[in-house]
Amino acid sequence: MLKNWLMNLSKKDLPSKFLLLILFFISGVFISSFFNTTNLIGGLTLLLIGLIFCFEEYLFKNKINFAVYLLVFACGFFYFQAYEKYQQNHSSLLLNGQEIQNVKAIISNLPICQYNSTSFEAKLLLPFQEKVLIRTKGSCEEFHYGDKIIFTGKFEEPISYLDFDYKAYLAKSNIYSVINYPQIKIIDKHQGFWLKDFLYQIRISFQKQIDKIFPEPERSFLNGLLLGEKRTLDKDLEVALQKTGTMHLIALSGFNITIITNAVYAFLIVLGIVRPKAFWLVIIFILFFVVLTGTSPSIVRAGIMGGILVLSYRLGKPYQIKNALFFAAFLMILINPKILRFDIGFQLSFAATLGLIYFSPFFNRVFQTEKPSFLNWRQVVATTFSAQLAVLPLLIFRFGYISLISPLVNVLIISLIPYTMLLGFIAVILSYLHTWLGIIVGVFPYLFLYFEILIIKIFSRFSLATINFGGFSEIVFWVVVIFFLLILINKKYVRGKTKSI
C-alpha cells in the first residue's frame, strides 16, 4: 500500500504531501500529550475538527491517502507515549521523598542566578540516572557547566502553582525532581561535552568583555541581542520589554540569526573564500552559534531553517519557507515531543513564523510595503502585525495580556537593531586587543542602545500600553480562536464559490 502511494506521487506533489505527513505526525503527538489530563476532550475535539476541516479534500479522495495519513498520525500518537514512558522509567521520579547522601552529578547547563540563589540542571551519575534541578545559595561565578559535584539532599517532586504548571514546565526537560539547598561540593571541572564546554567558555568571556565596555542597562540589552541572555537583564527593562511587545528582540530568533549569518557570509566572501567553502563555514557557524547561545527553542528553530536556506542556495533549489518551518518543528519534536505542548518558547517562535508566512501578504498589501518609507516603517509594521496576530491567542492564554503599542515601538527601533548588533559585536572583538579600543568604538552602539531603551521605557509607562484580561483570559482565548476559525471557514467557502462560478 505505502509502496503504491509513493510510486503514484509526482515531483509536483512531493512538497505538499511531505508537509501533510509532517502535519499528521505532529497532530498525533499533540493529541497524545493530552492523555491523562482533564483537557483531553477539548484538545481531541479541537484537533479532529481542525484536521477534518483543513484536509478533507486530501483525506477522503481515496482510501490509500486516508490509510497513509492515519498511519503517520498513529506513529506520532504512540511516539509521544513511548517517549514519555521511557523518560519516566529512566528518571529520578522514584527517588522523590528520599534524602540521599553523596550523589554524584555533572552540571548540564549554564547556572541561573535570581532571588539570592542559583539554580542549575545536573545529570546524575550511576547508580542514578537522568537530570534533576538543584537550587543552592552559591553564586553563578562558583558553578559552571561541566562541573562534577557531589551533594547530599532530599529529592522532592516539583510543585505547581495556581497560574503556572511548574511541574509540566520541568517535565518537558525530563526533570522530575528538585533538590533545594543541598550540601554540595565541586570535585572536578570540565567534565561536560568538550565542544559545549568550549563554546560556553567563549560565551562567558564575551559577556565579561561586554561588562567592561557598557554600563547597565545597555550591557544587559546587548547581551540579549547578541547572545539571547536574559538572566542578567535589568528587571525594570524586562518589564518594559514585556509591556511594549519587544521581548522578542532578546529571544534570539530568525531575525537575529539572519543578521549574524549574512554578516559572516559577507565577511568570508570579502576575505576571498570561494562560495562552496563559505557555505560549509556558514553551516558550521550556525551550528556553533546555536550551541553558544544556549539552544533555546527559537534559536534552534531559526538555526535549522537557516541551514536549510543556505543549503537550498548551495543546491540551486527553491526555498519553501513553510516546508522548512514544519521540517524544523518535526526534527525538534522528534528529539523532544514534549516541547510541542509544554514549551512556550517553541510555541511562540513557531506561531510567529507561521504568522509571517500566512499574514504578511495581507499586511504587505494594506501598508503597501513596496513603497519606500522612513526607517522602512511600512515593512516593519506589516511584519510586526503578522507576527503579533499569530501569537495573539498564545499571549492571551499564557500571560493574560496583549501589548497595544508593540507596532509603534517596533517601527521606532527595529530598523536600528542590525546596526546595534554589528557595531556592538565589533566593539567587543576590538576590546580583546585593548579595553579602551573597545570602549571608544563602543560609543556608537551605546548611543543606539541608549535610544532604543529610552523609547521602550517611555512607551512602557503609558497607562494603555497593555490590555490585561485577568481571570477572563481563557474566555478571550477561545473567542479569538473561534474568530480565526470563522475567518478560515469564510475564506474556504468564498474560494469554493469562486471556483464553481
Side-chain angles (χ1 to χ4, degrees):
M1 179 186 67
L2 186 59
K3 183 179 179 181
N4 293 335
W5 184 78
L6 291 171
M7 291 177 64
N8 289 330
L9 286 179
S10 65
K11 288 186 178 180
K12 187 178 179 181
D13 289 332
L14 278 174
S16 60
K17 298 293 185 185
F18 170 78
L19 180 60
L20 277 171
L21 289 172
I22 289 178
L23 281 171
F24 274 90
F25 180 86
I26 292 175
S27 299
V29 170
F30 184 75
I31 289 179
S32 185
S33 70
F34 280 90
F35 270 79
N36 299 323
T37 73
T38 56
N39 296 321
L40 172 60
I41 297 177
L44 187 61
T45 303
L46 181 63
L47 259 294
L48 286 177
I49 291 173
L51 289 171
I52 293 171
F53 165 70
C54 295
F55 308 121
E56 89 280 356
E57 56 184 302
Y58 300 99
L59 283 174
F60 307 117
K61 191 176 289 184
N62 60 61
K63 292 181 179 179
I64 294 180
N65 272 0
F66 180 77
V68 170
Y69 295 134
L70 185 62
L71 177 63
V72 173
F73 177 87
C75 287
F77 184 93
F78 290 110
Y79 180 73
F80 181 90
Q81 295 295 318
Y83 180 90
E84 174 77 352
K85 188 71 173 176
Y86 177 85
Q87 292 298 336
Q88 288 190 0
N89 288 341
H90 293 79
S91 72
S92 60
L93 192 61
L94 296 178
L95 300 177
N96 287 341
Q98 303 179 45
E99 181 157 352
I100 305 178
Q101 295 184 347
N102 301 327
V103 180
K104 292 182 180 179
I106 294 175
I107 298 177
S108 57
N109 75 331
L110 291 173
I112 299 173
C113 294
Q114 57 182 161
Y115 308 122
N116 300 318
S117 68
T118 299
S119 62
F120 51 79
E121 297 175 11
K123 177 74 171 64
L124 301 180
L125 300 178
L126 293 176
F128 307 108
Q129 51 192 349
E130 268 307 326
K131 294 186 293 184
V132 296
L133 181 71
I134 296 178
R135 292 195 190 96
T136 177
K137 293 181 179 178
S139 65
C140 278
E141 289 73 24
E142 183 179 351
F143 299 99
H144 301 90
Y145 168 80
D147 286 354
K148 187 176 182 181
I149 60 174
I150 184 168
F151 67 89
T152 296
K154 186 175 182 180
F155 286 68
E156 298 177 293
E157 185 176 339
I159 300 173
S160 292
Y161 307 96
L162 290 176
D163 58 344
F164 181 49
D165 192 349
Y166 188 56
K167 186 176 179 181
Y169 171 79
L170 291 180
K172 74 173 173 54
S173 302
N174 301 314
I175 296 174
Y176 296 90
S177 302
V178 175
I179 294 93
N180 290 309
Y181 309 108
Q183 298 176 16
I184 187 169
K185 180 181 178 182
I186 299 172
I187 57 176
D188 207 348
K189 296 279 188 179
H190 306 296
Q191 297 300 302
F193 178 46
W194 68 269
L195 178 59
K196 195 173 181 179
D197 192 11
F198 172 71
L199 291 174
Y200 278 175
Q201 293 302 317
I202 294 176
R203 177 191 176 102
I204 292 169
S205 173
F206 204 83
Q207 285 180 271
K208 288 180 178 179
Q209 295 303 117
I210 291 176
D211 292 345
K212 291 178 182 178
I213 301 172
F214 300 96
E216 281 292 357
E218 287 77 19
R219 75 165 63 134
S220 58
F221 191 46
L222 185 61
N223 262 316
L225 291 175
L226 293 177
L227 300 172
E229 178 61 71
K230 299 179 186 177
R231 297 173 302 165
T232 59
L233 194 64
D234 178 79
K235 294 303 176 184
D236 292 336
L237 178 58
E238 184 176 4
V239 172
L241 287 166
Q242 291 171 348
K243 287 184 176 181
T244 55
T246 50
M247 185 62 83
H248 65 91
L249 295 175
I250 60 167
L252 285 179
S253 61
F255 175 69
N256 307 69
I257 203 170
T258 298
I259 294 170
I260 295 169
T261 301
N262 287 339
V264 171
Y265 208 109
F267 179 68
L268 293 173
I269 297 300
V270 168
L271 289 179
I273 298 175
V274 293
R275 290 187 180 275
K277 289 182 179 179
F279 159 76
W280 288 112
L281 289 174
V282 170
I283 290 291
I284 293 170
F285 170 80
I286 291 174
L287 177 62
F288 282 8
F289 186 74
V290 168
V291 177
L292 177 70
T293 52
T295 62
S296 66
S298 60
I299 196 64
V300 171
R301 190 271 310 157
I304 295 173
M305 293 183 68
I308 295 172
L309 175 61
V310 176
L311 183 61
S312 68
Y313 289 154
R314 177 76 173 84
L315 299 176
K317 300 290 184 180
Y319 177 68
Q320 299 191 16
I321 185 171
K322 182 169 62 175
N323 283 22
L325 172 63
F326 280 95
F327 181 66
F330 169 73
L331 290 180
M332 294 174 70
I333 290 168
L334 206 61
I335 295 171
N336 183 359
K338 293 180 182 179
I339 64 172
L340 180 60
R341 181 162 167 248
F342 300 110
D343 195 314
I344 184 62
F346 171 82
Q347 294 166 1
L348 289 172
S349 174
F350 183 83
T353 310
L354 211 56
L356 295 178
I357 295 170
Y358 286 103
F359 297 146
S360 283
F362 170 75
F363 286 112
N364 286 341
R365 289 194 300 271
V366 170
F367 294 103
Q368 300 177 324
T369 56
E370 71 279 359
K371 294 182 179 180
S373 57
F374 179 68
L375 291 178
N376 199 25
W377 73 264
R378 295 178 185 273
Q379 184 63 59
V380 172
V381 172
T383 301
T384 302
F385 270 109
S386 301
Q388 289 289 321
L389 186 60
V391 302
L392 183 63
L394 279 171
L395 292 176
I396 294 171
F397 185 75
R398 291 281 190 168
F399 304 113
Y401 70 87
I402 57 173
S403 173
L404 296 178
I405 58 174
S406 175
L408 177 58
V409 179
N410 276 278
V411 166
L412 292 173
I413 68 173
I414 205 166
S415 298
L416 302 175
I417 295 298
Y419 304 105
T420 307
M421 292 175 64
L422 179 60
L423 292 172
F425 180 78
I426 292 172
V428 174
I429 295 299
L430 291 176
S431 72
Y432 281 99
L433 300 177
H434 197 285
T435 302
W436 274 106
L437 186 59
I439 291 173
I440 293 169
V441 176
V443 170
F444 300 101
Y446 170 81
L447 294 175
F448 282 125
L449 290 164
Y450 180 84
F451 174 77
E452 290 154 4
I453 292 171
L454 181 65
I455 294 296
I456 291 169
K457 287 190 172 182
I458 287 174
F459 281 92
S460 69
R461 296 191 185 103
F462 289 4
S463 58
L464 295 178
T466 59
I467 294 180
N468 197 320
F469 298 103
F472 298 98
S473 58
E474 192 165 344
I475 296 173
V476 176
F477 165 76
W478 284 110
V479 169
V480 172
V481 169
I482 292 170
F483 176 72
F484 280 177
L485 286 175
L486 288 174
I487 292 176
L488 289 172
I489 291 169
N490 183 61
K491 286 182 67 176
K492 195 176 182 69
Y493 175 77
V494 171
R495 190 165 60 244
K497 283 284 187 181
T498 305
K499 288 180 180 179
S500 64
I501 294 175

